[in-house]
Amino acid sequence: MLRPMTVARYGVWLALATAVVSAWLGQRAGASLDFAVLRSVFVFVVVAALGFGAEAVLTVGWRPEPPAPAPRPAPPTADAEKD
């Protein structure tokens, strides 16, 4: 089992790394600084949301309801034995 918020923590670090790479690639491609930063913020938000979503999926514990037990047959009565 993972500690709580482990996947989200790694997701934020991954989001930060991809945002930095996105800004760097944008600058290398000739984009202005404000556009590169805006693009990197968008990338950060998307990847961080994926990390938190993965954390939520992994930590939400759901269990299906157990099936209802089969009804027992009624015991024979004294009237049924006379027939």
Side-chain angles (χ1 to χ4, degrees):
M1 273 322 267
L2 294 173
R3 290 182 5 205
M5 301 301 285
T6 300
V7 176
R9 187 178 310 117
Y10 288 143
V12 169
W13 283 111
L14 181 66
L16 183 63
T18 55
V20 168
V21 169
S22 175
W24 179 73
L25 287 174
Q27 283 289 302
R28 300 269 299 161
S32 62
L33 181 62
D34 60 343
F35 179 75
V37 170
L38 181 66
R39 179 175 124 172
S40 67
V41 167
F42 177 74
V43 168
F44 176 82
V45 168
V46 169
V47 176
L50 287 173
F52 281 106
E55 178 72 32
V57 166
L58 292 174
T59 58
V60 170
W62 64 273
R63 291 187 204 167
E65 292 185 21
R72 290 184 170 180
T77 60
D79 293 336
E81 292 175 3
K82 291 181 182 177
D83 291 333

